[in-house]
Amino acid sequence: RVVAAVRRRSAMASASATGSAAAAAAPLAKRVRVNHLSVYAGDPEKVARDLAFLIGGHAEPNGPLRGKDGVSWVCFFNKEDTRPDGPVNLLDPTKTDFLEVYPRSYRLIIQEDGRAGFEKYNAALDRGAGVHVNLGVETSRSDLEALCKERGLRCAWRGYLPLLDVWLEEDPALLVELVPPLDSEALGG
């Protein structure tokens, strides 16, 4: 299927370059969708709760390390994914759009059978990572600034892009970029 999709895209690009409108109008293959992402944090609960507060989501202890000494947390980006009777089933295909937050005291490993697993890890010497998340939110620029201030989170507008850098943790650094609805102020107008 991937090869067929690549061939369709290539044919569309060729048709577009040669001006064949009928060929260029062919439907694109299904887009890839990110269901969830995972990051490490010194305090997974605080990171998940702070992010949920900023975006109007929901945080709960969940994930593969739930119940271990380094509890993992999940921030669901959409409040409607919450359950009043217990944790959300992460295997439910209708529950997507979430961030798993693992403790830095564990790391992801490949188990003997090829499946993903975790092992205890001393991350004391780790000083950061290049992983960050960019989220589109329905919150205004001024409200985002106020929410960050209320949580005591350092933040700054990127300047050349209409996004807010929010530091969920500072040492080691954990960044989330929040993109509010674009308006004339965000576009430099």
Side-chain angles (χ1 to χ4, degrees), residues 96-107:
T96 60
D97 305 326
F98 60 89
L99 179 73
E100 293 175 308
V101 187
Y102 299 127
R104 288 189 185 275
S105 56
Y106 283 85
R107 71 176 173 183

Side-chain angles (χ1 to χ4, degrees), residues 85-154:
D85 59 341
V88 175
N89 177 359
L90 298 182
L91 300 177
D92 180 344
T94 66
K95 306 301 181 214
T96 60
D97 305 326
F98 60 89
L99 179 73
E100 293 175 308
V101 187
Y102 299 127
R104 288 189 185 275
S105 56
Y106 283 85
R107 71 176 173 183
L108 190 62
I109 62 165
I110 304 169
Q111 297 182 108
E112 289 294 321
D113 62 3
R115 292 182 304 147
F118 290 88
E119 71 180 8
K120 287 287 260 177
Y121 177 69
N122 181 358
L125 299 178
D126 293 349
R127 303 307 306 158
V131 176
H132 66 277
V133 180
N134 178 296
L135 301 174
V137 296
E138 295 299 321
T139 308
S140 72
R141 290 171 61 98
S142 57
D143 286 350
L144 282 174
E145 291 170 358
L147 292 170
C148 288
K149 185 175 182 179
E150 185 174 333
R151 295 302 267 208
L153 299 171
R154 183 183 293 191

